[in-house]
């Protein structure tokens, strides 16, 4: 039993050690390979900025937002050291969902991707409710004033009748 536990423990430690050496080697070669999308959640008709540091100093790129229905756009070197930046408009006909935005570096043709989420309402501009609550039974202040008045009259008659019956019973007039 002890021998099996030692064997399994040694194997697990070897796997963890090998994985620990493999991760830094992969991260060292990535050189900022992501495409940053701002804002990450946009509404149809909104403007989106895209930037990356993956193309190196002075590197430019060509972006493609065709997945969301927008056209190609250019990422040019920006004032921030080693970053390229570009912009595009989300078409008003864009449907809600998550879309992949792609850019290719001009120098080495590296492909960089980022995600854009399209929503129908912006978080910054809340949508105010309109109209009455659709409960299926109606409401106290419905659109028909005649029905509202009839309901109030029925409640008043019921209250008056109940009061009369309780008063009569308390006096002992029978019932």
């Amino acid at each position: 039993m002890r021998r099996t536990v030692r064997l399994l423990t040694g194997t697990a430690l070897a796997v963890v050690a090998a994985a620990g050496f493999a991760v830094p080697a992969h991260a060292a070669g990535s050189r900022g390979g992501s495409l940053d999308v701002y804002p990450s959640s946009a509404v149809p008709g909104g403007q989106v900025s895209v930037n990356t540091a993956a193309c190196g100093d002075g590197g430019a790129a060509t972006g493609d937002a065709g997945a969301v229905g927008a056209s190609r756009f250019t990422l040019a070197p920006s004032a921030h050291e080693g970053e390229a930046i570009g912009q595009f408009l989300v078409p008003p006909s864009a449907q809600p969902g998550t879309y992949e935005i792609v850019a290719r570096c001009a120098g080495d043709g590296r492909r960089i991707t980022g995600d854009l989420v399209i929503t129908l309402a912006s978080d910054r501009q809340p949508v105010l409710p309109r109209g009455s609550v659709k409960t299926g039974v109606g409401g106290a202040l419905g659109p028909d004033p005649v029905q509202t008045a009839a309901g109030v009259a029925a409640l008043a008659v019921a209250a008056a009748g109940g009061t009369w019956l309780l008063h009569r019973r308390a006096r002992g007039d029978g019932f």
Side-chain angles (χ1 to χ4, degrees), residues 26-139:
H26 173 67
S30 66
R31 198 176 69 172
S34 68
L35 190 66
D36 298 323
V37 180
Y38 298 106
S40 61
S41 179
V43 295
Q47 186 170 4
V48 177
S49 295
V50 178
N51 68 336
T52 185
C55 296
D57 291 336
T62 302
D64 184 12
V68 74
S71 61
R72 294 184 178 269
F73 59 96
T74 303
L75 283 87
S78 71
H80 294 98
E81 190 173 322
E83 288 191 3
I85 188 167
Q87 296 179 337
F88 66 92
L89 288 174
V90 176
S93 61
Q95 296 298 312
T98 303
Y99 297 93
E100 183 179 62
I101 308 301
V102 180
R104 289 207 180 266
C105 295
D108 59 2
R110 179 183 311 207
R111 183 178 188 270
I112 314 145
T113 63
D115 288 335
L116 173 66
V117 177
I118 301 295
T119 59
L120 291 181
S122 173
D123 294 339
R124 289 173 252 141
Q125 299 173 352
V127 176
L128 300 176
R130 291 182 283 159
S132 61
V133 177
K134 307 293 186 221
T135 61
V137 180

